Amino acid sequence: MLKKIIKRVLISVPVLIGVVLLIFLMLQVVPGNPIEIMMGEHVKADVVERMTEYYGLNDPVMVQFGKYVLNILHGDFGVSYKLNRSITGLIMDAFPYTVKLAVSAALVAWLIGIPAGIVSAVKKNTLVDRMFMGVSLLGVSMPVFWAALLFQYLFAYRLGWFPVSGVEGWKGYILPAIVLGWSSAGTIARLTRSNLLETLEEDYIRTAWAKGLRHSGVIVRHAFKNALLPVVTMMAIQVASLLSGAVITETVFAIPGIGRLAVNAIKDRDMPLLQGTVIFTTALIILGNLIADLLYSVIDPRIRTD
């Protein structure tokens, strides 16, 4: 297991370096001087020149990249042009909000998606199956921003059950979690249903039926466990993506998380802040894939043996 973890980490290092280089070069070719954008149109030329030299923006691109990578290795993502604060500190301040939203949305997705997928598979081609899959399809198809605005209008503005925006208390996370979790729940439900239906056609499931085992026992202990591997992959990737920052949801509901931080960085053309959020979220996605691989070994002993 330890060798597998080390191998996966070593494979992930070139990916992370490639993302850092790609983001760095893409932001370098964006037209305009970030210092002028940061300080306004009427700033004096000598001030722009002095600030450009201070931030090292007049150095060759590869020199800038080398310094940037060296700073990242020391846990320093630089200083925000717009806010004049440590980017590492800004990310750490925003990350708890994103974690709370991601965990809440993941719980909504799992508590709805997995049971809905199981029931739909067991009740194949019935009214219950069509109803669950219809709601799942609606969650997958409806844009997140539209669902967010609809829920805000109905449950916050009209009914007044929840805050319209902000996360001053636990109620502020309910609507964003439902909006964000609905889409993920639809994906999990459909994937659970399709894999469970395929597993139920296997010979060992027929053998379990022939032995007279209880219906629920065959479904949960035999079929569902073996149909769970692709679902675990999807769940781990979804959690990593949610932790990366639900950009639209955080923006609509005014949640000061990673996603909103990235949106503000794009709007202000704050290149170091944007680079820091992208690299941080990339590392989270790589970590999520690693956790999914480790969960494979826990669920399926054959993989652990291999």
Side-chain angles (χ1 to χ4, degrees):
M1 182 66 69
L2 180 60
K3 291 181 179 179
K4 184 177 181 180
I5 295 174
I6 294 174
K7 182 179 178 180
R8 290 288 299 175
V9 170
L10 293 177
I11 293 175
S12 302
V13 170
V15 176
L16 191 58
I17 294 176
V19 170
V20 173
L21 178 60
L22 181 62
I23 294 298
F24 186 86
L25 294 178
M26 286 178 63
L27 293 178
Q28 289 294 321
V29 300
V30 174
N33 190 323
I35 302 299
E36 293 180 354
I37 296 175
M38 176 183 66
M39 304 189 72
E41 299 178 357
H42 305 291
V43 64
K44 295 182 180 180
D46 59 331
V47 176
V48 174
E49 184 178 352
R50 187 165 61 250
M51 295 299 294
T52 301
E53 184 176 357
Y54 174 78
Y55 284 110
L57 298 178
N58 53 357
D59 294 334
V61 174
M62 295 311 298
V63 174
Q64 294 184 46
F65 179 72
K67 292 180 179 178
Y68 186 67
V69 172
L70 187 61
N71 290 334
I72 289 177
L73 294 177
H74 290 86
D76 181 13
F77 288 100
V79 178
S80 168
Y81 290 160
K82 185 71 175 180
L83 303 175
N84 196 26
R85 286 183 55 193
S86 168
I87 294 172
T88 304
L90 290 171
I91 291 176
M92 291 300 102
D93 290 342
F95 191 51
Y97 294 97
T98 299
V99 170
K100 293 177 183 178
L101 175 60
V103 171
S104 303
L107 289 175
V108 170
W110 299 344
L111 293 176
I112 295 176
I114 293 177
I118 295 175
V119 172
S120 296
V122 174
K123 303 291 184 179
K124 179 183 176 183
N125 295 331
T126 64
L127 180 61
V128 174
D129 178 25
R130 293 188 179 92
M131 182 181 67
F132 280 175
M133 287 300 100
V135 174
S136 300
L137 181 61
L138 184 62
V140 174
S141 305
M142 182 179 292
V144 175
F145 75 90
W146 176 248
L149 294 174
L150 181 63
F151 277 49
Q152 275 183 326
Y153 177 75
L154 291 178
F155 299 107
Y157 177 71
R158 299 291 297 181
L159 299 176
W161 291 352
F162 307 102
V164 176
S165 61
V167 284
E168 298 298 330
W170 62 271
K171 282 189 175 181
Y173 287 98
I174 295 179
L175 278 185
I178 294 175
V179 169
L180 199 56
W182 186 15
S183 176
S184 300
T187 303
I188 291 175
R190 296 173 69 83
L191 187 61
T192 301
R193 178 185 182 275
S194 62
N195 282 281
L196 189 56
L197 286 175
E198 182 178 349
T199 305
L200 288 173
E201 299 296 327
E202 297 290 339
D203 292 337
Y204 67 89
I205 298 296
R206 296 193 184 95
T207 302
W209 295 125
K211 288 182 177 180
L213 297 180
R214 294 179 59 184
H215 186 80
S216 59
V218 174
I219 297 295
V220 176
R221 296 182 57 188
H222 296 277
F224 177 65
K225 184 177 180 180
N226 289 282
L228 192 61
L229 283 178
V231 179
V232 168
T233 304
M234 180 60 65
M235 291 167 62
I237 294 174
Q238 284 181 344
V239 171
S241 300
L242 293 173
L243 287 173
S244 301
V247 177
I248 297 176
T249 307
E250 289 183 355
T251 302
V252 173
F253 288 97
I255 300 175
I258 298 293
R260 194 178 180 195
L261 194 65
V263 170
N264 291 336
I266 295 172
K267 181 178 63 176
D268 298 330
R269 201 173 183 273
D270 195 340
M271 292 189 297
L273 181 57
L274 181 58
Q275 290 170 339
T277 55
V278 171
I279 294 169
F280 183 76
T281 55
T282 302
L284 289 176
I285 292 175
I286 292 175
L287 180 61
N289 287 321
L290 176 61
I291 293 174
D293 287 343
L294 297 179
L295 288 176
Y296 280 174
S297 302
V298 175
I299 296 172
D300 193 339
R302 296 172 297 178
I303 296 178
R304 183 165 61 248
T305 303
D306 293 340

